[in-house]
Amino acid sequence: MMELDDLLSCLDRGLPLIAGTDAYRAMTTISQDAIRLCCELNAGFHTPEEIRDCMTRITGRPVHESFRLFPPFYTDFGKNIRFGRNVFVNFCCCFQDQGGIRIGDNVLIGHRVTLATINHGFDPAERHIHKVAPVIIGSNVWIGAAATILPGVHIGDGAIIAAGAVVSHDVPERTIAGGVPARVIREIRDTDRTDPAALADLAGQAK
């Protein structure tokens, strides 16, 4: 069976996963391990230290001591997630990470957020082809509850994604994006940090 490093190399180059191939079989085996570890994580109460230990096993690399997560958490692969420092992931998030999920520092991820990195062929004859593309979340990003980030999307540093948004295109840094499909609502201004009225308006647009 294909080794993990070889599989990750294929995925990070954007090569498709096709049912019946060595890469697909390797992904399926790794997915079963991810499901098992998520069941372990979600089965009962764990201390923050135990959660970080489990996430280290899910991702296959050390998770920084500043990382925080409120279970339950779901992933069907796990080995292509990279967390920065001081990341918070709230309840019931789903990370489909075969195509790669990269999360910068100081990121807040709300309840029930989905990060998806796989599309299927539109033609029914090609539905078995998994087309992968990474999701890249910059530093200091806030993603509101129940937002969905689709394959290939890059969210710039300091951006806000409103609750319930479906993001199918890149979001520039220091902007607020919301809606279905998401669009840029406005830029984040320097006055937002000091003006109480602007802060209230900002919070309202991000819900």
Side-chain angles (χ1 to χ4, degrees):
M1 187 181 73
M2 179 180 285
E3 296 293 328
L4 174 60
D5 286 346
D6 293 330
L7 175 58
L8 289 175
S9 177
C10 291
L11 294 171
D12 289 343
R13 284 183 285 149
L15 299 180
L17 287 163
I18 302 173
T21 63
D22 286 346
Y24 190 90
R25 284 189 287 269
M27 180 197 70
T28 300
T29 298
I30 294 166
S31 293
Q32 293 302 305
D33 187 55
I35 292 167
R36 177 183 61 80
L37 289 169
C38 284
C39 287
E40 178 183 324
L41 173 65
N42 299 334
F45 173 79
H46 300 284
T47 66
E49 293 77 16
E50 290 169 338
I51 290 171
R52 287 193 293 271
D53 176 71
C54 194
M55 290 301 293
T56 292
R57 287 182 284 141
I58 287 172
T59 62
R61 62 191 58 234
V63 173
H64 192 262
E65 62 183 7
S66 61
F67 175 82
R68 294 183 299 145
L69 178 143
F70 289 173
F73 170 82
Y74 304 95
T75 180
D76 59 357
F77 190 68
K79 295 300 188 289
N80 211 3
I81 304 171
R82 307 287 182 267
F83 292 109
R85 298 190 175 199
N86 197 32
V87 172
F88 173 65
V89 180
N90 218 324
F91 297 102
C92 298
C93 289
C94 298
F95 287 12
Q96 181 197 54
D97 63 290
Q98 285 87 342
I101 292 174
R102 305 291 181 263
I103 298 174
D105 297 335
N106 308 311
V107 171
L108 301 174
I109 299 178
H111 300 82
R112 297 182 290 112
V113 166
T114 296
L115 306 181
T117 66
I118 291 179
N119 268 324
H120 296 275
F122 286 179
D123 190 313
E126 296 184 350
R127 294 283 165 80
H128 65 293
I129 299 176
H130 297 64
K131 300 179 179 182
V132 301
V135 167
I136 300 173
I137 311 297
S139 294
N140 303 300
V141 169
W142 171 20
I143 302 178
T148 298
I149 315 299
L150 296 179
V153 168
H154 182 177
I155 298 176
D157 293 349
I160 295 174
I161 306 301
V166 176
V167 186
S168 57
H169 294 88
D170 290 354
V171 175
E173 64 181 25
R174 291 185 63 83
T175 60
I176 303 169
V180 181
R183 61 179 180 83
V184 173
I185 297 170
R186 70 168 173 86
E187 295 182 354
I188 298 172
R189 300 181 289 264
D190 289 340
T191 54
D192 288 330
R193 74 179 67 177
T194 56
D195 182 349
L199 285 172
D201 177 60
L202 179 63
Q205 292 189 64
K207 287 181 179 178

